[in-house]
Amino acid sequence: MVYKALTIAGSDSGGGAGIQADLKTFQELGVFGMSAITAVTAQNTLGVQGVFPLSAEAVAAQIESVAADLGADAVKTGMLFSADIIRTVAEQVKKHGWERLVVDPVMIAKGGAPLLQEEAVAALKEELLPLALVITPNIPEAEALTGIVIRTMDDRREAARRLHRMGARYVVVKGGHDDDGEETVDLLYNGSEFSYFKSKRIDTRHTHGTGCTFAAAIAAELAKGRHPVDAVATAKAFVQSAIAHPLGIGQGHGPTNHWAYRQYGE
């Protein structure tokens, strides 16, 4: 059995995030990766120098090509950039009956560059979130989607409840942007109970692409038929290892090490 996962996201010329990170993650977890590119970015570890979005028609054509021949056991979305692209992706997901959908609501690059137009946030909430099996916002993204200022774990739990009410069946509010304490805690909500995934906080600047990698790892595990909670646990371990064994390249926010989980384990 060959498991297949499709990433619908932007291209990162520096190789640390976007479809490049997704495809590396799929490969490392034993899943055949496919892609539909939404935008080409000129970026490196120092920042984003340019964003060149594709048309919604071009995105749809790529997805149709994959669906017509190869199919997908799971789908992951990343940088979608515009409301038109979001609506197109939502239409394609419904058309092809893809239920194992992981939505990483990418809004801002690690260096601060916007990767989602402001008017697209409403489309993301109304069109795509109701289709998501799993959504993986970081704290700033959860704030933007819910309108809540998140300062405490109670705030995170309330944000997760609101995101679940928007339609996502499993909500992961990541804790990497919470600077409080020696641990990072990712919160998972399934509509009835909360689970917490903890890891040691690592002081490093080499974290470019962690969000993309985390969501891609979840998608890869879902493609294999794993339960969402188990998929999140594996993704947490995969990213932790990728951060703990840095490549040490680039002058800015360097990429994580996608082969670390295979080479060094958790």
Side-chain angles (χ1 to χ4, degrees), residues 38-42 49-54 79 81:
T38 58
V40 173
T41 69
Q49 292 80 45
V51 176
F52 308 94
L54 274 68
M79 175 188 177
F81 187 72

Side-chain angles (χ1 to χ4, degrees), residues 62-107:
Q62 294 173 80
I63 298 171
E64 287 280 9
S65 291
V66 170
D69 180 26
L70 297 155
D73 298 305
V75 178
K76 178 252 178 185
T77 66
M79 175 188 177
L80 298 178
F81 187 72
S82 71
D84 282 347
I85 291 176
I86 290 169
R87 281 190 285 267
T88 294
V89 170
E91 290 167 3
Q92 289 288 322
V93 168
K94 288 185 282 190
K95 177 179 178 179
H96 301 296
W98 288 324
E99 295 185 355
R100 295 170 180 162
L101 173 65
V102 180
V103 174
D104 181 17
V106 175
M107 295 183 181

Side-chain angles (χ1 to χ4, degrees), residues 127-180:
E127 305 282 347
L128 202 58
L129 290 200
L131 305 177
L133 176 58
V134 184
I135 182 173
T136 61
N138 57 33
I139 288 175
E141 290 162 350
E143 289 179 328
L145 290 169
T146 64
I148 297 174
V149 176
I150 298 175
R151 294 290 179 268
T152 66
M153 187 59 72
D154 282 340
D155 295 336
R156 264 202 262 176
R157 283 188 281 264
E158 178 56 27
R161 292 187 191 99
R162 294 193 186 190
L163 289 166
H164 188 271
R165 287 198 293 269
M166 292 178 193
R169 282 163 283 174
Y170 290 83
V171 179
V172 183
V173 181
K174 298 175 294 189
H177 285 73
D178 182 359
D179 295 327
D180 186 25

